[in-house]
Amino acid sequence: MVRRMSEPIRRVAVLGAGVMGSGIAAHCANAGIPVILLDIVPPKASEADRKSKAVRDSFATGALDKLRKAKPAAFMHPRNALLISTGNFDDDLAKVADCDLIIEAIIERLDLKQGLFEKLEKLAAPNAIIASNTSGLRIADMLVGRTEQFRKNFMVTHFFNPPRYMKLLELVAGPDTSPEAKLRAETFGKEMLGKGIVWAKDTPNFIGNRIGLQSMMTTIHLMLERGLAPEDVDAITGIPMAHPKSATFRTADVVGLDTVGHVAENCFKTLTGDEDRSVFATPPYIKAMIEKGILGDKTKGGFYKKIGTDLQTLDPKTGEYRAKGGDPEIAKAAKAVGKIEDPKARIKALVAVPGAVGEFAWTVLSRSLAYAARRIPEITESVEAIDNAMKWGYAWDLGPFETWDALGFAATVDRMKADGLALPGWVEAMRAANATGFYSEAQGKPRIWDPQRGDYTERQIDARETTFDVLRKGGAPVLKNSGAEAWDLGDGILGLTFKTKANSIDADVIKMIHDATARAERDFRGMMIWNQGEFFCVGANLFAVVMAAGQKQWDQLREMIRGYQYATQRMKYATVPVVAAPYNMTLGGGLELCMGCDAVQAAAETYSGLVEVGVGLIPGGAGTLNMLWRSLESVPEGVEIDTYAFVTQTFKNIALAKVATSFEEGKAFGYFRATDGVSFDRARQLYETKQRTIGLANAGYHPPIPRAYKLPGESGIATILMMVNTLVAGKYASEHDAKIAMKLANVLCGGVSGSTHAVTEDEILELEREAFLSLCGEPLSQARMQYMLQHQKPLRN
């Protein structure tokens, strides 16, 4: 697919500072775009108060304050809030004249939107895009009385909440929207905000909510028909169905039952010709919950409620809470299916489970898939648009048509027809033509079924959204063991990828890092580390550490620690550039891996930290060395300085197990360099990582020179000890926390003699290794490690 260029969007106005409007403003700021956030003047303010600009702006400024405190964080770094200026419609609306994109996000009232657009028509720049974030109002109704020029620049930009984290951006053009405006909006959403763009038609709730809500409401109604409990349904419709773990009822609690009810009501009111209209009718027990204010997480209780330490479930039959339960046989069968790693194999196995589990799953899926097929061409003409909307907006692993293919296209069609489900003519035509599925491949090129043409057509894929399977050359890896593989990715780049659970680091991975680095130096121009799966790397294989410590295999453990330390050092001083591509959880040894690389091309949503203290240890893969040394990179060569401030900051980051909640925050913490790259869309991260590696190789790469620094030594250790003792005395830290902290302080200060000479990297690594090893022998540290393995959360002891 060839990328088309368009006039950039440099400044954005967001009109309406509610949850969605403020969230959109925050994400634009995350992308480095200045934003004007406006809202109404508080209607209940007194005449005297209304004379104050602060009061008049208070809705917008209050929204900005909430953004700063939001959990999960709306800003990728708190300083991004500086890009948002606030105001009100009465005083500041004229400021939209300087904006290239104006997004309306006020209350869903047609008269108010029409009035606002009338004002914008007189104020907006001639080429400014005017967009509405509506999900329920028609473009034709909103544009009554507007000029041709306004109509050319108008469209719907439907973000999903929360805008920072949800990839889907549905764009809806009106009949008069210009190609130029469409291209600018798509380019901005995709390139600047990292969104997945789906073009929808102007129909109620567009694509994502139309298909997603039909699936959710089908499930809710079917639960009562089949006599199942909410726990039973969530066991089936979560991970086993290749949907999020929150499944159906937990998702409703997170979204809010009032929101679910509102969207369902809108569908029921407006979709008078929809053959599944009755599905959108809200069941009486949910209406009762909404009336009582039982709305989910926002009211501390919905379908599920925590009372003390017990999680209780609302019984739909009685309307009262009861102890969490459900059918244990259903839970057991669903859990077994959920362990299947491949989502396609998992969903096929789910439908094949005998009894209530398989029957319920088939009924929900078959009705939802058939409904999605019947919506073409009403809501879109594209199979892929529906699949992408559900993956990006509802976090399904597979879209409806991908799910259909996984179940077997022909067999699924035949079973649906046997069940009496109505299928559209274009699906019937596919079956008659012996099509193998909605997606296929011919002569190495991906194809997709085009319902309008009645045949396959080549899929239009952005070349930057490549996959590891596409990039790798040859039928076998260059190097392979049970923990990792190294593949030729073309252009002289070797790609190292882990194969362990959660991409954890074990002896095989450590060996492969050494071997792959040596092979890259010999036969390639550069190496990149690209992992797949939910997490980039969660650190060391804790089970292996616990086992070795429990069996007192100290020499083996020492060699394992040394092996990983010098694996990261091996990469750092390789004669070719090494680039890592972290994403999601990049913790402990995973972050140490990145610190051993010349550069990083990180996903924007990368959560990083050296968190070893949570399991009673300190970093053991050169993390103490590389984090401290990175903080000292700004110090000019040969300049004598007091390193205590650098040591203290590094100590705090590690001792407090500070986790950065974005790549941007990770840079601020010193986990990544200011020169490292960010990928707002993870679909492009692989391509961008390879390009960064090639760029370093082409620039005449030379490895860094080892450094040595005078460190605080004994005096620094003593100063940190006073700080730690204060925390223990105030009961902010335990005695064992203090022991771990002082082991860490000894390493970072270069030992007691650290101030007497320039401490080398090897000296720091030896101190780190011995501290890590000694903590492995501590019973309280062993208890922390075992607790983490059993409960997946830290133990304070």
Side-chain angles (χ1 to χ4, degrees):
M1 178 185 288
V2 178
R3 277 199 296 153
R4 296 172 294 162
M5 305 305 290
S6 67
E7 182 68 22
I9 288 171
R10 300 181 181 88
R11 191 174 182 83
V12 173
V14 179
L15 309 182
V19 172
M20 281 306 304
S22 60
I24 293 167
H27 194 55
C28 289
N30 288 333
I33 306 295
V35 183
I36 301 170
L37 179 63
L38 306 180
D39 209 318
I40 62 172
V41 173
K44 294 183 179 180
S46 67
E47 282 300 318
D49 286 343
R50 288 169 71 91
K51 293 178 182 178
S52 164
K53 187 67 164 66
V55 171
R56 294 165 70 80
D57 292 349
S58 60
F59 276 6
T61 54
L64 185 56
D65 289 340
K66 288 179 181 178
L67 286 175
R68 292 190 178 102
K69 302 170 187 173
K71 299 291 181 184
F75 292 116
M76 291 180 177
H77 191 281
R79 64 168 170 261
N80 294 355
L82 296 173
L83 283 168
I84 299 179
S85 58
T86 56
N88 67 79
F89 292 160
D90 292 1
D91 301 324
D92 305 299
L93 196 59
K95 293 179 180 178
V96 302
D98 297 326
C99 297
D100 304 299
L101 171 63
I102 304 167
I103 301 174
E104 170 274 310
I106 65 173
I107 190 171
E108 287 283 81
R109 270 183 52 183
L110 181 60
D111 60 329
L112 295 180
K113 291 181 188 288
Q114 289 174 334
L116 181 58
F117 294 147
E118 183 178 1
K119 294 177 182 177
L120 291 178
E121 189 170 62
K122 301 169 185 175
L123 298 171
N127 293 324
I129 296 172
I130 316 293
S132 174
N133 190 58
T134 185
S135 60
L137 299 178
R138 303 294 297 274
I139 290 176
D141 296 332
M142 290 189 288
L143 293 187
V144 169
R146 301 285 64 76
T147 63
E148 180 183 353
Q149 181 63 33
F150 193 93
R151 292 169 179 271
K152 283 183 178 180
N153 292 335
F154 188 86
M155 67 184 65
V156 168
T157 52
H158 186 232
F159 289 81
F160 272 57
N161 192 39
R164 169 183 164 182
Y165 298 96
M166 300 306 294
K167 182 174 178 176
L168 178 61
L169 173 57
E170 292 177 317
L171 297 180
V172 185
D176 302 316
T177 309
S178 71
E180 293 77 16
K182 289 163 68 175
L183 177 60
R184 287 184 78 197
E186 179 172 341
T187 301
F188 177 71
K190 183 173 183 176
E191 304 299 332
M192 293 301 296
L193 302 184
K195 296 299 180 186
I197 305 298
V198 168
W199 284 96
K201 293 188 178 182
D202 190 13
T203 58
N205 293 300
F206 310 128
I207 298 175
N209 284 337
R210 181 80 173 271
I211 302 300
L213 194 66
Q214 189 273 349
S215 176
M216 175 181 279
M217 297 303 287
T218 294
T219 305
I220 288 172
H221 286 299
L222 190 64
M223 175 189 72
L224 296 180
E225 291 176 25
R226 297 289 170 89
L228 300 185
E231 298 96 326
D232 300 328
V233 171
D234 279 355
I236 297 168
T237 60
I239 300 298
M241 198 173 276
H243 290 178
K245 185 179 180 181
S246 55
T248 301
F249 293 101
R250 183 73 192 98
T251 295
D253 279 354
V254 171
V255 172
L257 268 73
D258 52 342
T259 302
V260 173
H262 172 73
V263 177
E265 183 183 9
N266 183 58
C267 284
F268 188 78
K269 282 183 178 179
T270 56
L271 299 175
T272 55
D274 191 308
E275 72 282 357
D276 267 23
R277 183 177 182 236
S278 62
V279 170
F280 294 102
T282 306
Y285 75 91
I286 294 182
K287 285 185 177 180
M289 291 172 70
I290 296 172
E291 289 169 3
K292 293 176 182 176
I294 302 173
L295 306 179
D297 289 3
K298 66 179 73 175
T299 58
K300 308 296 183 185
F303 287 106
Y304 300 106
K305 182 176 184 178
K306 198 165 188 180
I307 300 177
T309 58
D310 297 329
L311 186 63
Q312 298 198 346
T313 306
L314 187 133
D315 189 328
K317 296 176 183 176
T318 65
E320 302 295 331
Y321 284 99
R322 56 161 173 77
K324 193 169 186 288
D327 188 327
E329 291 302 315
I330 288 178
K332 181 180 178 181
K335 186 176 181 180
V337 172
K339 292 179 179 178
I340 299 172
E341 190 169 341
D342 178 18
K344 294 180 180 179
R346 192 190 319 146
I347 207 162
K348 193 168 186 176
L350 176 66
V351 170
V353 174
V357 171
E359 291 170 6
F360 189 91
W362 164 255
T363 304
V364 168
L365 285 170
S366 61
R367 291 180 185 179
S368 300
L369 302 185
Y371 183 80
R374 294 195 301 268
R375 299 284 67 77
I376 293 176
E378 177 195 346
I379 63 175
T380 178
E381 296 177 354
S382 166
V383 163
E384 194 166 20
I386 291 178
D387 277 349
N388 286 340
M390 301 319 299
K391 289 187 291 185
W392 298 339
Y394 277 71
W396 292 7
D397 289 339
L398 303 172
F401 299 103
E402 291 171 320
T403 298
W404 200 322
D405 280 356
L407 294 173
F409 170 72
T412 300
V413 170
D414 293 347
R415 186 174 175 184
M416 285 178 174
K417 291 177 71 174
D419 288 351
L421 289 174
L423 295 173
W426 66 269
V427 172
E428 299 272 16
M430 280 183 70
R431 181 70 180 92
N434 293 318
T436 56
F438 298 98
Y439 297 85
S440 73
E441 201 171 272
Q443 298 177 334
K445 293 184 177 180
R447 304 187 304 169
I448 191 168
W449 188 269
D450 184 336
Q452 281 63 51
R453 292 183 61 220
D455 198 357
Y456 287 107
T457 185
E458 186 177 339
R459 286 180 69 193
Q460 298 299 307
I461 300 175
D462 188 331
R464 298 172 301 163
E465 296 178 6
T466 189
T467 65
F468 196 76
D469 289 345
V470 169
L471 279 189
R472 63 190 195 185
K473 309 297 180 184
V478 175
L479 296 167
K480 179 180 180 180
N481 64 25
S482 61
E485 296 176 352
W487 286 81
D488 180 353
L489 301 183
D491 300 302
I493 305 302
L494 184 67
L496 172 61
T497 187
F498 298 175
K499 295 296 180 182
T500 51
K501 184 177 181 180
N503 294 319
S504 59
I505 296 160
D506 63 9
D508 287 320
V509 168
I510 293 169
K511 184 177 187 305
M512 182 57 73
I513 293 172
H514 285 279
D515 294 346
T517 305
R519 180 62 67 90
E521 289 179 317
R522 194 184 81 188
D523 297 334
F524 294 85
R525 297 193 298 148
M527 184 172 84
M528 54 182 278
I529 301 173
W530 174 262
N531 286 336
Q532 301 177 86
E534 185 177 2
F535 307 128
F536 173 72
C537 179
V538 297
N541 183 331
L542 194 58
F543 180 75
V545 175
V546 170
M547 289 296 291
Q551 296 170 15
K552 303 187 185 303
Q553 296 174 341
W554 306 123
D555 290 342
Q556 178 184 328
L557 200 49
R558 179 181 281 107
E559 281 308 303
M560 185 179 79
I561 300 163
R562 189 180 191 283
Y564 191 50
Q565 286 179 323
Y566 283 96
T568 59
Q569 291 292 89
R570 182 76 176 83
M571 292 190 301
K572 187 164 73 171
Y573 294 114
T575 58
V576 295
V578 181
V579 180
Y583 61 91
N584 204 323
M585 294 299 178
T586 303
L587 301 174
L591 181 55
E592 290 176 300
L593 185 74
C594 296
M595 288 181 170
C597 295
D598 297 283
V600 158
Q601 181 68 32
E605 298 300 339
T606 296
Y607 314 119
S608 56
L610 297 174
V611 296
E612 287 84 353
V613 296
V615 290
L617 303 171
I618 68 165
T624 56
L625 164 71
N626 284 325
M627 186 162 182
L628 178 57
W629 257 228
R630 282 186 174 209
S631 72
L632 291 162
E633 284 179 351
S634 60
V635 178
E637 197 73 30
V639 175
E640 288 265 344
I641 60 159
D642 181 357
T643 56
Y644 179 73
F646 297 91
V647 167
T648 303
Q649 188 56 54
T650 302
F651 172 83
K652 288 178 180 178
N653 282 351
I654 298 174
L656 298 176
K658 290 179 71 174
V659 174
T661 57
S662 70
F663 168 66
E664 189 67 26
E665 194 168 59
K667 286 199 296 184
F669 287 174
Y671 300 159
F672 304 108
R673 292 186 173 98
T675 53
D676 286 334
V678 60
S679 296
F680 261 64
D681 185 356
R682 178 151 154 73
R684 299 197 295 267
Q685 188 185 11
L686 175 59
Y687 170 86
E688 290 164 354
T689 303
K690 184 179 175 186
Q691 294 306 306
R692 179 169 284 265
T693 312
I694 292 171
L696 287 171
N698 285 342
Y701 177 77
H702 292 277
I705 305 299
R707 291 172 290 146
Y709 295 96
K710 278 190 176 182
L711 297 174
E714 188 172 15
S715 66
I717 295 170
T719 305
I720 291 176
L721 178 60
M722 286 191 294
M723 178 172 63
V724 170
N725 284 341
T726 301
L727 291 173
V728 173
K731 301 191 183 304
Y732 295 107
S734 69
E735 292 290 345
H736 192 57
D737 289 330
K739 178 174 284 190
I740 299 166
M742 294 318 299
K743 296 275 187 184
L744 174 63
N746 185 65
V747 176
L748 294 175
C749 291
V752 293
S753 63
S755 61
T756 64
H757 66 291
V759 181
T760 66
E761 296 188 356
D762 285 340
E763 288 179 278
I764 292 288
L765 292 178
E766 184 177 0
L767 290 168
E768 178 187 86
R769 188 161 59 247
E770 294 309 312
F772 188 99
L773 193 64
S774 68
L775 287 169
C776 285
E778 291 285 342
L780 291 178
S781 286
Q782 292 178 6
R784 289 190 181 191
M785 288 186 273
Q786 290 164 355
Y787 192 86
M788 177 63 76
L789 287 171
Q790 292 169 4
H791 303 283
Q792 285 75 56
K793 59 183 180 181
L795 169 69
R796 289 297 305 276
N797 59 3

